[in-house]
């Protein structure tokens, strides 16, 4: 029975080549579009799902419009005073934390030679960031440590590099 269906379908395709081509291309295009939409939506919904409060976490962005009402610019950040203003104006906001990415040049000395390192991934953040996001901390408690001004949190890689530098500096200064 199925063999007969295939015979009829192939005969129809060869008899009406243009119609078959249009139908097959339309089917392929619609299937590709459906797959692309599915992949886009699943990617958009997958961000930060590893946080326990991911369904209650929001990011505020800015959109600028030109005089015609068309979107001219979409920025991923807002001015720092917006956070406290939103928390004051909207009672639904439980916690708010602002972050700022910056870069810095760090100067280290090794064997009397100055080693400069440009670090692009430096973030300035508020302590409530650790209440909003699940960030694994190997040592220390962010709630207590960030009460002091100029507190620093390092990644494990940067912490090891700093320990190596301090160990080296201690050895060279103790030999004198």
């Amino acid at each position: 029975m199925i063999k007969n269906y295939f015979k009829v379908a192939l005969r129809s395709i060869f008899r009406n080549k243009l119609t078959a081509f249009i139908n097959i291309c339309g089917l392929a295009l619609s299937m590709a579009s459906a797959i692309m939409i599915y992949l886009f939506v699943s990617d958009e919904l997958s961000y930060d799902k590893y946080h326990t409060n991911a369904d209650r976490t929001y990011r505020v962005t800015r959109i600028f419009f030109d005089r015609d009402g068309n979107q001219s610019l979409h920025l991923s950040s807002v001015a720092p005073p917006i956070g406290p203003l939103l928390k004051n104006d909207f009672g639904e906001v439980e916690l708010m934390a602002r972050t700022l990415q910056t870069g810095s040049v760090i100067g280290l000395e090794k064997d009397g030679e100055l080693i400069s390192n440009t670090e692009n991934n430096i973030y300035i953040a508020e302590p409530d960031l650790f209440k909003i996001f699940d960030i694994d901390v190997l040592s220390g408690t962010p709630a207590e440590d960030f009460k002091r001004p100029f507190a620093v949190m390092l990644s494990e890689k940067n912490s090891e590099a700093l320990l190596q530098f301090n160990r080296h500096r201690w050895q060279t200064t103790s030999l004198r």
Side-chain angles (χ1 to χ4, degrees):
M1 186 78 170
I2 293 177
K3 186 178 175 182
N4 193 25
Y5 288 145
F6 281 119
K7 282 183 186 179
V8 171
L10 284 175
R11 287 180 189 156
S12 176
I13 288 171
F14 288 120
R15 191 176 310 126
N16 303 317
K17 292 180 182 173
L18 181 63
T19 305
F21 176 76
I22 292 172
N23 287 338
I24 291 171
C25 286
L27 178 64
L29 186 64
S30 64
M31 288 176 67
S33 298
I35 290 171
M36 293 298 288
I37 291 170
Y38 169 75
L39 290 174
F40 176 77
V41 169
S42 66
D43 182 55
E44 288 294 316
L45 294 176
S46 69
Y47 285 107
D48 296 332
K49 288 295 180 188
Y50 52 90
H51 296 296
T52 55
N53 295 326
D55 59 331
R56 296 179 14 221
T57 304
Y58 297 92
R59 180 180 185 172
V60 180
T61 62
R62 287 190 282 197
I63 299 176
F64 292 95
F65 296 96
D66 59 14
R67 293 182 186 188
D68 300 329
N70 298 323
Q71 179 179 331
S72 61
L73 182 63
H74 187 182
L75 297 177
S76 62
S77 62
V78 294
I82 296 293
L85 290 174
L86 287 174
K87 189 170 182 179
N88 288 338
D89 292 347
F90 298 98
E92 296 87 4
V93 177
E94 298 172 21
L95 291 169
M96 178 271 316
R98 297 172 287 186
T99 61
L100 175 67
Q101 182 179 7
T102 183
S104 179
V105 176
I106 300 170
L108 301 174
E109 184 179 320
K110 183 176 181 181
D111 294 330
E113 181 181 335
L114 184 64
I115 302 169
S116 293
N117 184 19
T118 303
E119 203 52 58
N120 293 325
N121 292 323
I122 297 175
Y123 290 89
I124 300 170
E126 293 181 327
D128 281 347
L129 183 78
F130 296 96
K131 295 176 185 174
I132 297 170
F133 297 110
D134 299 330
I135 300 173
D136 293 331
V137 179
L138 297 177
S139 66
T141 55
E144 295 297 320
D145 295 339
F146 282 107
K147 287 181 179 176
R148 296 175 291 132
F150 305 112
V152 175
M153 178 173 281
L154 297 173
S155 67
E156 191 172 11
K157 177 182 153 190
N158 288 340
S159 168
E160 290 295 325
L162 189 62
L163 284 173
Q164 289 295 329
F165 174 75
N166 282 338
R167 199 171 296 128
H168 177 76
R169 195 177 89 196
W170 175 260
Q171 289 174 352
T172 56
T173 54
S174 65
L175 293 175
R176 293 182 186 169

